[in-house]
Amino acid sequence: QVQLVESGGGLVQSGGSLRLSCTTSQFVLDYWTIGWFRQAPGKEREGVSCIYNSGDRTYYADSVKGRFTISRDNAKNTVYLQMNNLKPEDAAVYYCAAASWSSCTGGRGDYWGQGTQVAVAS
């Protein structure tokens, strides 16, 4: 079963920062757009950010623009999500997924990870 692996979640104070990582040993990520999604308890999953194969195109949800930065290091087969100025409403399980650009920006993914928990204390 194809699977991505997220890491870097944790508990942080409001205004703090975390960096999430997404990688896999099963395929080469640089053939794919990689997206970050999140789901808070009782809420629907929402798209957070996407980065195109080459890294020269990015997408951000309005709620995270100016605070989150997505990047990729294809040599390390890893995609990152730098999250700054975290707010309590950012608390959720964060998932990464491999997808096409149109799918990712439309909130869909093809191959998913298990998720990493982000908690933000107010």
Side-chain angles (χ1 to χ4, degrees):
Q1 183 178 356
V2 176
Q3 187 170 310
L4 305 180
V5 178
E6 304 94 340
S7 61
L11 173 64
V12 65
Q13 293 290 321
S14 182
S17 298
L18 286 173
R19 189 177 78 158
L20 305 183
S21 298
C22 171
T23 189
T24 181
S25 60
Q26 296 179 305
F27 60 94
V28 179
L29 289 183
D30 56 352
Y31 293 141
W32 295 85
T33 289
I34 303 298
W36 286 96
F37 302 81
R38 66 187 182 187
Q39 188 166 20
K43 294 187 177 181
E44 293 188 355
R45 185 184 68 203
E46 64 171 332
V48 174
S49 184
C50 302
I51 186 165
Y52 193 63
N53 311 31
S54 58
D56 61 354
R57 195 188 312 178
T58 57
Y59 159 84
Y60 295 96
D62 287 343
S63 58
V64 305
K65 279 181 182 176
R67 301 188 298 121
F68 291 12
T69 303
I70 193 169
S71 62
R72 66 192 304 159
D73 185 339
N74 288 338
K76 295 183 178 180
N77 210 40
T78 301
V79 173
Y80 304 98
L81 185 68
Q82 178 67 43
M83 307 186 295
N84 297 330
N85 191 21
L86 282 160
K87 304 175 181 180
E89 53 264 40
D90 293 317
V93 178
Y94 282 71
Y95 302 89
C96 66
S100 66
W101 176 258
S102 59
S103 291
C104 188
T105 54
R108 302 180 303 278
D110 294 320
Y111 301 109
W112 292 85
Q114 296 289 344
T116 186
Q117 180 77 51
V118 171
V120 183
S122 57

